[in-house]
Amino acid sequence: MNWAILLVAGLFEIGWAVGLKYTEGFSRLWPSVWTILSMTLSVVPLGAAMKTFTVGTIGTAVSAMVLSGEPANVARLLSLAFIRAGIVGRMLPMSWLSAWGRQRTPEAS
């Protein structure tokens, strides 16, 4: 369930970042309503804020590449992959990571 909340919050963050372009300085009603609503809903799950902002950052960068014609070169895509890998690594259980550092020993009987 936490992952679903994270994903939805990240999508709302992407929505408000993209929506800012269409508000034309908050002079258009419905794009402005969508943008403000998205801003609000993107920060509701504050417990997952770090992960949400990362999902939103990656989504916003990809949206800019797709919608605005930003260049999608290897360096940018690799940087986005490193951001995501860092968050996934941060969320791995420490017991799983520490298992790499120790070798199994036969149990004494």
Side-chain angles (χ1 to χ4, degrees):
M1 182 65 176
N2 289 336
W3 283 100
I5 293 170
L6 168 66
L7 180 64
V8 170
L11 291 173
F12 278 116
E13 185 170 340
I14 296 165
W16 76 258
V18 172
L20 282 174
K21 177 180 179 180
Y22 298 101
T23 64
E24 295 178 8
F26 291 99
S27 63
R28 296 179 61 206
L29 177 62
W30 294 114
S32 298
V33 168
W34 167 253
T35 300
I36 292 170
L37 181 65
S38 295
M39 283 179 181
T40 304
L41 294 174
S42 71
V43 296
V44 168
L46 293 177
M50 176 64 179
K51 295 174 259 175
T52 302
F53 293 137
T54 303
V55 170
T57 300
I58 293 170
T60 302
V62 171
S63 296
M65 291 176 201
V66 172
L67 299 174
S68 301
E70 292 271 334
N73 56 32
V74 174
R76 283 186 184 204
L77 296 175
L78 192 60
S79 296
L80 293 174
F82 281 138
I83 290 171
R84 189 64 193 144
I87 293 302
V88 169
R90 185 178 153 267
M91 294 170 47
L92 291 175
M94 292 308 292
S95 60
W96 185 77
L97 291 174
S98 64
W100 280 1
R102 65 173 181 248
Q103 296 179 355
R104 295 190 181 263
T105 56
E107 294 182 27
S109 49

